[in-house]
Amino acid sequence: MAAAPEPSNLFVLQKEELYDLNNSKSVEILKDKYGGLEGLAEKLKTSLVDGPPSSETQDGHADRKTHFGTNTYPQKPPTGFLKLFFEAFKDTTVIILTVAAVVSIGVGIAEAVMGEESSCEDTSFQLLSNFSECGQSLYESYDDMVHRYEVIEAEIAHLRELREAFIANNTGVPVPANLTNPNEYSKPGTYIEGIVIVFAVLIVAFVTAGNDYSKERQFRSLNDVKNDIRVKVVRGGDEHQVSTYEIVVGDIVVLESGDKIPADGIFIKGHGLAVDESVMTGEPDAIPKKEEAPFMLSGCQIVEGMGRMIVTTVGEMSEWGKIMKELSDDHDETPLQQKLATLAKNIGKAGFAVALLTLTALFILWGIGIANKTARNDVIDWACEIQSVVGFLIIAVTIVVVAVPEGLPLAVTISLAYSVRKMMKDNNLVRHLVACETMGGATNICSDKTGTLTENRMTVTEGWLAGNFYTSVPSTIKNDVDSKVLDYFINGIAVNSTASIGHDEVTKKPEFVGSKTECALLVLSEKLSYDYKKIRKDAIELQKVPFSSDRKRMSTIVQEGDKYVLYCKGASEMVLGLCNRMVNGAGEIGPLDASTVKELEAHIYRMADSGLRTLCLAYRENDSEDFGDDPESDMICLGIMGIQDPLRPEVPDAVERCKHAGIIVRMVTGDNILTAKSIARECGIFTDGGVAMTGPEFRVLSDEEKDKVLPKLQVLARSTPTDKLILVRRLRFLGEVVAVTGDGTNDAPALKEADVGMSMGISGTEVAKEASDVVIMDDNFSSIVKAVMWGRSVFDNVRRFLQFQLTINIVALAVAFVSALLGQGTPLNAVQLLWVNLIMDALAALALATEPPTADLLERKPYGRKEPLISPLMWRHIIAQAVLQLVAMFFILFGARNISFFIETEQNMNTSVFGPHHSCQTYQYTMVFNTFVFLQLFNEINARRINNEFNIFSGIHKNPFYLGVYAATSLLQALFVQFGGIAVETAPLRWDSWLLCIGIGVIGIPWGLIVRLFPYKRKGDTKAKTNQKKIVPVYEQKGDIESSGHVKSSDGNDDLKKPAKTANGSEAPEVIVESNGTRPPSHGVGEPSTSDGIANLPGGVSE
């Protein structure tokens, strides 16, 4: 390790010393060298209670960051552009094409060195077109064709003699090659084509590298956001939530179950704190943290309890930072990317077969040409023949390059990267790319209630306290309740809590830190003029049992003078069931008799039915710290508070949109079933005919019974994480694509099991976030609906590009093969095919893969699990457009030789500003090439809509990428044709020819409209309905089930004493079937079978 720098005036310790301390994990060194925790805190100029002084917040703790470093981790340097550029050349077809181009250049240079002017015959070997000239009918008599061929042959021989004589005597001007043979023309350097091919390959590699470079930068920035977690710290005596990147040495970090340790540190105090250090040490068991084992490692998870630690090392000096240096940022392919890669490989194989057939046809024609020349005793120019063979190879390899749709994986990558970035703006942080595409196929959303459907803005509005019921809190509480009773009530709120109300370091506005339910109680204590911070600071805390999803309550034992008090709060029916006494307003303690319990249950029922969350507070006194084996028994009931959590105003509309999209929304909550039903009904989840039941009721059903009740199950209340996991597994077993929300540590299994796990960014624990695929940054259900839209958009964008590209593949391969087979050679040469390939892959992928989502995406049913990439409707459009394009191509090639639009006269050829370099055939092939490209450009507009929508221009102005790419492609094509010349073997077209090319391309638009006129209806498509089938009752009994869920026998008498039996012989649970049915207050209140927890208590499931 490098020598430590000289100590600064502000801090006497160096970061290297602190690293050595953490690395040694020696309590003796901590005590002997640093004076224990107190001495270490003094050297770090911080307080074990209050943290760093508040005066440091003005400059953002700049001195600490300068001296000890920042809490950022080193990243592997991104792959350089040049490396990505050279990696693009590793593709086999590109290598072969490059080698062939180099050979072509070599042959051309050899000709130049030998002083030979290239006058090679056109390598097309046009068995048909050699017998026709520009403007002449194709269909001549056999005698005329033979006679004309003999005349031309004689003229060629005579002109060659004259030309050789002129050259030998150095007199006159050599006769232009294009006058000796209509199919000969002077190419100033046959190596030009090879150079252009190499240049085109370089452009393709440049674009590919640019896309990869941009993609990597985008994913790095998204990872920075993904790894930025919120941490609770103590600074200047107040608790704050700060970014993990803002953690500094000397901070006091407050940790709870589910949190990730943000930096290395030393345990100060806590209750039952246990850490999973398997990621760092490989130790599978949770490690308890205590005075004898206080060292905490960054990157590890808190699995139990709560506590505080002092930060000693941050960033690259921490253990996690050391490991981060060695980590790779490689990204696994998503299933959609893998499917497309497989599809691209299969299409490539088909392209290879066509290329092989084309090459075979060209070699056969070449052999026929050689045989004919030999039969006529013509001199064979082998340099030209070699050039021809190289040209064949270039054409064949280029066909393979065009056929291999590298753009398919590129399209999904661009679409995913674009969508992920946009989803972040919609408060969806995508942690796993697979979630983007999977979310589009979601058929079920199992949503939490608190914070997701509601605002998580808790306020105590009603309550029962010490024998008095209050419809408005706090109103006259102080006048009605004895001060001693009120002290117990407020002490229970202050001490039995981990939440706090702080102030933002910058804005100084109030900031709720921790459970919003607990914050509501803290606000109540402040309204009653109590200082909860002072009470909490003065309390002698002995033991704290944090909330868990199984216990549904939280308890704390404190010493008050010579007595010991246990404070408990939790689910109303659960805590009330543990009480056998109550206290009245005068402070008198009496028995909690049946009539009082019934009265309290009625209050709970009424508050829950009006949508309030109910919370019971109780306490128990003892003469010693030992409360026995069951400390939470025989408690004294203090009060029951009704807490309002308003419904998010945008949720009902979002739920309705999900219904239109064919998605079933289910509420899965830990709240009382009456509260859950009220909120679910308000937001449109719980409807007439729907089923609401509790977790314990659902849990005991057999799989067959679950399968029968699931189609109508809309609310699952008082559920545990286990119930949520069972629900998700069963839905997936039935073939549903399930998205589930969760925020607690114990929600991790369900989040992992779901097709898309969605954790809460505000209320979620780090364990839940790590297990999830998407983090909902604002905990808002409407953000989930936006995620569905983006997921469907990704799938549609890939399909758009697929439809567009397959059309090009079919047409390009068919034209190349048929033309070669009929002796027309290849109308599209290597450079032109590479340009088309560039349009297909990089540019079209950028244009079509960035289409933003539209509202109509939620007007059809989800795709589901087994939806093919290419739908029957897509095949219809692909084949229809391919037929149109092939008819146009073959018409120009074989049927338009005597139409002036498609040919160039000899006069125009000789007076062209580009010189007499092109033949009639060059002009014709330029028309073929230009028409082909414009057919694709207009079909690119058709491809924007893949579900038979008539308005293909809808929203086109909202996609600047599309418009920019479209305009750039059109402009580059015009430059390519008009100024390409020898390099790309194009002839500049007249204005009327340009109009004809564009006009033929435009035909694709009305042709696509005609195809859309034929009706097509996907199963369940258009205005998807979510009306569910009537289900068979889950009970094996002869009677009917009333809307209230009670079993009614066939004789009409209620058979409440003989509950129906399930398939396994156990007593069937009560099920609320109709949304307008109600339960009697006695059910679910005070009964062990339905007493589960409240939301948002520390360390547990908020729903």
Side-chain angles (χ1 to χ4, degrees), residues 103-252:
V103 171
S104 177
I105 294 172
V107 172
I109 292 176
E111 290 178 354
V113 171
M114 291 188 302
E116 298 183 5
E117 183 182 359
S118 174
S119 59
C120 299
E121 292 184 8
D122 191 342
T123 58
S124 300
F125 298 101
Q126 302 160 11
L127 297 182
L128 294 178
S129 62
N130 277 347
F131 298 113
S132 65
E133 297 180 7
C134 297
Q136 193 171 19
S137 173
L138 173 67
Y139 305 103
E140 299 178 274
S141 69
Y142 178 78
D143 292 338
D144 289 340
M145 288 191 292
V146 172
H147 174 70
R148 187 165 55 82
Y149 186 85
E150 291 174 349
V151 171
I152 291 174
E153 190 177 45
E155 290 179 354
I156 291 173
H158 177 66
L159 290 172
R160 278 179 175 168
E161 291 176 1
L162 291 176
R163 183 182 181 199
E164 291 172 359
F166 286 148
I167 294 173
N169 298 325
N170 197 25
T171 60
V173 180
V175 179
N178 66 306
L179 296 182
T180 66
N181 189 329
N183 289 319
E184 289 184 4
Y185 53 93
S186 177
K187 292 184 180 180
T190 55
Y191 53 83
I192 291 293
E193 184 179 35
I195 293 175
V196 175
I197 291 174
V198 171
F199 182 69
V201 170
L202 291 174
I203 292 177
V204 172
F206 183 86
V207 173
T208 302
N211 281 327
D212 289 342
Y213 184 75
S214 174
K215 177 186 69 176
E216 184 171 351
R217 288 175 64 88
Q218 288 175 357
F219 284 134
R220 278 179 173 265
S221 63
L222 288 170
N223 275 336
D224 289 339
V225 177
K226 180 178 72 177
N227 295 327
D228 183 12
I229 61 178
R230 304 296 292 176
V231 183
K232 190 189 298 185
V233 299
V234 179
R235 292 176 176 174
D238 289 331
E239 290 187 4
H240 305 275
Q241 280 190 322
V242 300
S243 165
T244 185
Y245 300 134
E246 293 299 317
I247 294 291
V248 294
V249 172
D251 266 335
I252 305 302

Side-chain angles (χ1 to χ4, degrees), residues 430-441:
V430 178
R431 301 187 69 257
H432 302 133
L433 283 180
V434 64
C436 270
E437 58 200 54
T438 309
M439 198 62 196

Side-chain angles (χ1 to χ4, degrees), residues 70 165 335 409 481 576 658 705 736 754 862-863 975 1016:
T70 59
V481 179
L576 184 61
C658 282
E705 292 164 343
E736 304 289 349
Y863 293 118
L975 297 174
Y1016 174 83

Side-chain angles (χ1 to χ4, degrees), residues 358-376:
T358 303
L359 184 63
T360 302
L362 289 173
F363 268 114
I364 291 173
L365 295 174
W366 176 75
I368 293 173
I370 294 294
N372 289 338
K373 289 181 181 180
T374 303
R376 296 194 305 266

Side-chain angles (χ1 to χ4, degrees), residues 605-735:
Y605 176 85
R606 190 191 60 76
M607 288 189 289
D609 196 46
S610 62
L612 298 182
R613 162 171 292 178
T614 59
L615 197 65
C616 183
L617 294 91
Y619 76 102
R620 176 185 172 186
E621 291 183 329
N622 202 36
D623 294 333
S624 68
E625 185 178 348
D626 184 9
F627 279 75
D629 296 333
D630 191 6
E632 294 172 328
S633 61
D634 301 331
M635 292 191 295
I636 302 169
C637 181
L638 268 171
I640 299 172
M641 296 293 107
I643 302 175
Q644 184 184 48
D645 186 9
L647 184 71
R648 291 183 182 271
E650 65 273 18
V651 164
D653 178 64
V655 171
E656 187 63 28
R657 293 169 70 191
C658 282
K659 291 180 179 180
H660 277 291
I663 301 172
I664 300 173
V665 182
R666 310 175 195 268
M667 178 192 289
V668 184
T669 176
D671 254 347
N672 181 292
I673 190 168
L674 299 173
T675 304
K677 283 174 53 185
S678 176
I679 297 296
R681 190 181 295 111
E682 190 177 350
C683 61
I685 293 176
F686 194 37
T687 58
D688 290 342
V691 173
M693 62 194 311
T694 65
E697 293 170 341
F698 179 74
R699 200 181 309 148
V700 300
L701 297 176
S702 66
D703 288 343
E704 293 77 12
E705 292 164 343
K706 289 187 181 78
D707 294 346
K708 290 177 181 179
V709 78
L710 278 177
K712 286 198 172 184
L713 180 63
Q714 295 174 342
V715 177
L716 189 62
R718 285 298 188 227
S719 64
T720 66
T722 302
D723 299 327
K724 185 182 289 187
L725 179 60
I726 292 172
L727 174 63
V728 171
R729 281 180 175 168
R730 205 64 213 160
L731 287 171
R732 295 191 73 217
F733 176 81
L734 296 175

Side-chain angles (χ1 to χ4, degrees), residues 236-454:
D238 289 331
E239 290 187 4
H240 305 275
Q241 280 190 322
V242 300
S243 165
T244 185
Y245 300 134
E246 293 299 317
I247 294 291
V248 294
V249 172
D251 266 335
I252 305 302
V253 179
V254 181
L255 297 168
E256 299 176 5
S257 177
D259 288 345
K260 177 187 282 188
I261 302 175
D264 288 353
I266 301 176
F267 174 75
I268 300 173
K269 66 176 183 177
H271 299 281
L273 189 70
V275 181
D276 177 9
E277 296 183 349
S278 58
V279 294
M280 301 295 293
T281 65
E283 175 61 47
D285 297 328
I287 307 298
K289 292 300 172 182
K290 47 192 175 181
E291 187 177 347
E292 295 78 17
F295 292 94
M296 314 271 283
L297 300 177
S298 56
C300 299
Q301 300 278 359
I302 307 296
V303 294
E304 292 178 15
M306 57 190 68
R308 296 188 176 198
M309 78 168 197
I310 181 173
V311 176
T312 52
T313 56
V314 294
E316 61 182 4
M317 296 303 296
S318 66
E319 290 292 329
W320 186 252
K322 300 292 183 184
I323 293 178
M324 286 294 288
K325 287 184 178 180
E326 309 300 326
L327 291 182
S328 171
D329 290 329
D330 295 337
H331 305 288
D332 295 331
E333 286 188 332
T334 71
L336 184 57
Q337 286 174 315
Q338 293 170 355
K339 286 181 184 178
L340 288 173
T342 301
L343 178 63
K345 188 180 296 183
N346 293 334
I347 296 174
K349 290 178 181 178
F352 179 80
V354 172
L356 188 62
L357 290 174
T358 303
L359 184 63
T360 302
L362 289 173
F363 268 114
I364 291 173
L365 295 174
W366 176 75
I368 293 173
I370 294 294
N372 289 338
K373 289 181 181 180
T374 303
R376 296 194 305 266
N377 295 322
D378 290 347
V379 177
I380 298 177
D381 188 341
W382 287 107
C384 285
E385 301 305 332
I386 293 174
Q387 185 75 22
S388 297
V389 171
V390 172
F392 299 160
L393 292 173
I394 290 175
I395 290 295
V397 176
T398 304
I399 289 175
V400 174
V401 171
V402 173
V404 175
E406 303 95 339
L408 287 181
L410 177 63
V412 70
T413 299
I414 291 176
S415 186
L416 286 172
Y418 173 77
S419 299
V420 166
R421 190 172 67 251
K422 292 292 186 179
M423 286 174 72
M424 186 62 197
K425 295 182 179 179
D426 286 337
N427 294 307
N428 288 282
L429 171 58
V430 178
R431 301 187 69 257
H432 302 133
L433 283 180
V434 64
C436 270
E437 58 200 54
T438 309
M439 198 62 196
T443 59
N444 278 252
I445 297 177
C446 300
S447 174
D448 285 343
K449 179 183 73 67
T450 303
T452 307
L453 300 173
T454 61

Side-chain angles (χ1 to χ4, degrees), residues 755-898:
D755 294 283
V756 182
M758 313 185 84
S759 62
M760 301 295 105
I762 298 173
S763 61
T765 65
E766 288 308 311
V767 172
K769 293 176 185 177
E770 286 293 325
S772 66
D773 302 297
V774 179
V775 179
I776 308 300
M777 303 302 291
D778 60 351
D779 292 11
N780 195 335
F781 184 81
S782 64
S783 297
I784 300 175
V785 179
K786 292 175 184 176
V788 172
M789 289 181 61
W790 278 109
R792 294 188 177 190
S793 178
V794 168
F795 196 76
D796 275 11
N797 285 348
V798 172
R799 280 185 155 186
R800 289 183 179 104
F801 180 75
L802 195 57
Q803 179 174 304
F804 172 74
Q805 188 172 53
L806 287 180
T807 305
I808 296 182
N809 280 8
I810 291 173
V811 176
L813 296 180
V815 169
F817 175 67
V818 173
S819 299
L821 196 65
L822 295 179
Q824 284 294 112
T826 50
L828 303 176
N829 62 41
V831 178
Q832 293 168 355
L833 284 175
L834 283 174
W835 166 239
V836 172
N837 189 56
L838 184 64
I839 296 174
M840 282 168 46
D841 287 348
L843 299 180
L846 186 62
L848 293 173
T850 55
E851 281 285 321
T854 57
D856 61 349
L857 288 172
L858 297 179
E859 294 295 328
R860 61 173 186 259
K861 276 196 171 182
Y863 293 118
R865 291 189 185 279
K866 299 180 181 180
E867 183 79 10
L869 279 175
I870 308 173
S871 68
L873 181 60
M874 290 172 63
W875 277 120
R876 178 197 291 184
H877 287 288
I878 291 169
I879 293 171
Q881 290 294 332
V883 168
L884 171 68
Q885 295 183 20
L886 286 173
V887 168
M889 295 295 97
F890 290 140
F891 172 74
I892 298 174
L893 278 172
F894 304 119
R897 298 176 184 277
N898 60 344

